[in-house]
Amino acid sequence: MPISYAVVGASRGIGLEYVRQLATHPDAVVFAIVRNKKGSFHLAAAVANLKNVHVFEADVVDHASMERAAKEVAAISGGKLDVLILNAGRMSGEAVWKGFKDYPNMDALDADCIDAFKINALGVVHGITAFLPLLRAGPTKKIAVLGTDGAIPNTVYALGLPDLSAYSMSKAAAMLATAKWALQLKDEGFTVVTLAPGLVDTTDTVGTSGDPTVKKILQDIDKNHPAFVLETPEQSVKVQLKIVDSLKPADNGGHFRSHPGNQA
Ligand SMILES: NC(=O)c1ccc[n+]([C@@H]2O[C@H](COP(=O)([O-])OP(=O)(O)OC[C@H]3O[C@@H](n4cnc5c(N)ncnc54)[C@H](OP(=O)(O)O)[C@@H]3O)[C@@H](O)[C@H]2O)c1
């Protein structure tokens, strides 16, 4: 029996690597959901000759587009989906590293936080809502939402991470949204979890030439902070997929880390 996976936010970074690794399984059918198909050139190159990958467009802040994508998936999968990987996140670029002190005024801070909240937090609610009928129709009923220990208050305090404010606040809300869904779907046999991928260098798939500035920031964190171990998307997703494969209903509501020692 083929296993169907939808990866939301698959154009680059960790989402792209999920598609790459899943596509190597002969039994997997992979639905890669991207904001902009034409602009997803890293994905296009990776899946050019693959028959088990289908690419559809949707933006997690635009619910109508998510419902459209779910319908397109259903048309191929016979109305079912086994595993939903909600990876889309507003995370790239230097601006994501801002702390409260780094905004010119409160209006700018509000606008940035609201934008982050719409993608990172409400995007989880939109994504699960759109694909729920397909997941309910399938036997597997797994949802993994990409989270981060950088949104856990004790960890933020212990590691001394005052910045990444809009990102961390919105990811904290995403993890609560995931917990709410886990409770809501528990009696239907779902397994809904947060999966923290560790500190992953996804800068090589930013644009055509990567993002050397953020790469340097990540390498400095890796060098100066023993709690963080910088990994490649390949290394991180390999472990993440082992976790996804092993998930069972008793894990519902859990917070999983691809590497226990890695705090990102
Ligand atoms: N990398 C890390 O160290 C790390 C650590 C902890 C948690 N995470 C989490 O892991 C996930 C992936 O991170 P990453 O490092 O791979 O990020 P990334 O390289 O910046 O990729 C983000 C992905 O999300 C997509 N996306 C952004 N906004 C979207 C929207 N509104 N609708 C649909 N797709 C959207 C992007 O598409 P476009 O190409 O269209 O922008 C891209 O495919 C995120 O949820 C992040 O919070 C990452």
Side-chain angles (χ1 to χ4, degrees):
M1 267 297 266
I3 303 183
S4 52
Y5 296 82
V7 182
V8 178
S11 65
R12 54 195 170 88
I14 291 171
L16 166 64
E17 186 58 28
Y18 261 109
V19 174
R20 269 199 191 119
Q21 293 192 22
L22 284 169
T24 63
H25 292 233
D27 289 343
V29 180
V30 187
F31 299 99
I33 313 297
V34 299
R35 275 200 283 203
N36 173 357
K37 213 167 158 176
K38 266 194 191 151
S40 301
F41 40 87
H42 292 289
L43 175 71
V47 306
N49 299 313
L50 300 176
K51 295 215 165 18
N52 61 342
V53 178
H54 306 271
V55 183
F56 296 120
E57 277 186 348
D59 186 320
V60 295
V61 302
D62 172 2
H63 192 63
S65 75
M66 291 299 291
E67 286 192 319
R68 248 188 335 266
K71 277 195 184 135
E72 289 171 314
V73 169
I76 292 177
S77 69
K80 296 176 185 177
L81 180 69
D82 289 301
V83 183
L84 174 63
I85 294 167
L86 276 179
N87 166 79
R90 182 180 178 272
M91 130 131 254
S92 46
E94 273 175 89
V96 82
W97 298 91
K98 278 185 185 165
F100 299 134
K101 64 183 185 327
D102 300 320
Y103 294 90
N105 54 55
M106 284 297 118
D107 286 345
L109 180 147
D110 287 359
D112 194 41
C113 288
I114 289 167
D115 197 41
F117 188 84
K118 279 182 152 179
I119 297 175
N120 293 344
L122 291 177
V124 173
V125 184
H126 289 293
I128 294 179
T129 303
F131 283 97
L132 199 50
L134 283 70
L135 289 156
R136 279 189 168 128
T140 312
K141 298 181 174 57
K142 287 185 191 178
I143 303 174
V145 180
L146 274 282
T148 172
D149 284 7
I152 297 174
N154 286 353
T155 307
V156 168
Y157 198 82
L159 293 175
L161 301 171
D163 298 336
L164 277 169
S165 305
Y167 174 74
S168 300
M169 288 194 297
S170 57
K171 291 300 276 191
M175 297 198 308
L176 269 175
T178 307
K180 300 281 179 191
W181 275 115
L183 279 172
Q184 202 167 308
L185 297 172
K186 181 173 83 161
D187 295 338
E188 295 183 48
F190 271 78
T191 311
V192 185
V193 303
T194 292
L195 181 48
L199 185 66
V200 186
D201 180 359
T202 58
T203 58
D204 291 342
T205 50
V206 174
T208 46
S209 48
D211 185 341
T213 311
V214 172
K215 187 181 272 296
K216 171 87 173 59
I217 295 174
L218 292 171
Q219 286 171 341
D220 286 347
I221 295 175
D222 181 51
K223 201 166 103 190
N224 300 324
H225 221 306
F228 294 100
V229 179
L230 186 60
E231 291 190 316
T232 63
E234 191 181 355
Q235 290 170 318
S236 174
V237 170
K238 204 170 165 195
V239 182
Q240 288 182 58
L241 271 176
K242 273 197 188 140
I243 294 170
V244 170
D245 282 350
S246 70
L247 288 173
K248 51 195 181 310
D251 297 320
N252 189 43
H255 181 107
F256 290 81
R257 296 172 178 85
S258 58
H259 288 285
N262 195 342
Q263 296 290 327

